[in-house]
Each structure stands twice: as C-alpha cells, then as structure tokens.
Amino acid sequence: MFKTLTLLKRKPGLSMDAFISHYEGVHARIGEKYLAGRAVHYARRFLHSPGDGEPADKPYDVAMEIWFADRAAFDRTLEALADPEVAAEIAADEERLFDRPHNRMFVLEEHESDLPAILAARAS
C-alpha cells in the first residue's frame, strides 16, 4: 500500500464550520470523482484543539489521507489529475477553500506498536 498525507490550511476568514461544510459538501465530491477507481482509501481528518475553542495560529485544519494499491497507481493518479481541465476544476475549488501556499503533502512510512502484545507480555 502506498499512502499519502496532505496537511491543509483553510483560507483566512473562513470559519471551521464553513470550512468543513464546503470541504465535505463540495471539495470531497470533486476528489471522489477523480479518485474512485484509482485510490483505495480517501479520508479527511479535521483537526481540533483538545481544549475549548480553536487557536488562531493552528498551522493546519485537516489531514487528508489517500491510499493507493502501489506507487504506480499513485503516479497514474497524478498524471490523470494533471489533465488541464481536471487541474483547473480542482484548483478553482481549492482557491475558495484553502490557504494553498501552506499546504504540504507527504508519503507515509508506517511503524506500528502491537499494544495488546506489549500488555500481555507485562502481565506474564
């Protein structure tokens, strides 16, 4: 599995509620249109402060995960998204929603702990 994580910042002046509403009602639908049949997983994880309210200087507002069967599927998807009409549609909505210069994409390398096994080892 080839996984990407993109950290996205909402446009200044856009409330978190309005951001989530537009993302889920409009932008995610655009993503689904182009990712269906190419990606195997597409999730948005909206970031909230654990306390009351949202800090004004929060660096990102959502973590978007997209998983692909392999690197080749990711590369084919990037190629499809580079089509001028597709890229224009995505960019137009991104301009409404994101503070685009702050957005960052990463490839994930996963390492997981087996917490049940660790707990069982402690008990024995």
Side-chain angles (χ1 to χ4, degrees):
M1 193 71 58
F2 185 85
K3 299 179 181 183
T4 63
L5 173 72
T6 304
L7 300 173
L8 303 156
K9 177 76 177 153
R10 65 187 145 118
K11 236 181 160 49
L14 187 62
S15 74
M16 191 65 172
D17 287 342
F19 175 70
I20 293 170
S21 178
H22 184 91
Y23 201 132
E24 290 303 301
V26 178
H27 198 73
R29 302 295 82 78
I30 295 169
E32 290 164 353
K33 178 168 59 171
Y34 297 111
L35 293 172
R38 292 186 173 95
V40 297
H41 179 81
Y42 173 45
R44 283 88 45 217
R45 304 187 191 290
F46 295 95
L47 308 175
H48 298 278
S49 176
D52 293 333
E54 297 293 334
D57 62 346
K58 183 171 62 169
Y60 297 103
D61 295 293
V62 64
M64 177 185 67
E65 293 181 27
I66 305 176
W67 302 357
F68 300 89
D70 51 31
R71 176 65 191 235
F74 169 76
D75 291 340
R76 285 191 303 274
T77 301
L78 287 185
E79 188 176 307
L81 296 177
D83 175 274
E85 287 184 25
V86 174
E89 178 182 6
I90 294 168
D93 196 58
E94 285 181 348
E95 284 297 327
R96 293 182 196 99
L97 195 57
F98 302 119
D99 188 357
R100 293 175 77 196
H102 289 94
N103 297 343
R104 300 290 181 266
M105 177 189 266
F106 303 92
V107 171
L108 298 177
E109 177 182 338
E110 293 186 351
H111 300 261
E112 294 186 19
S113 297
D114 186 349
L115 296 178
I118 292 167
L119 188 58
R122 283 186 195 159
S124 57

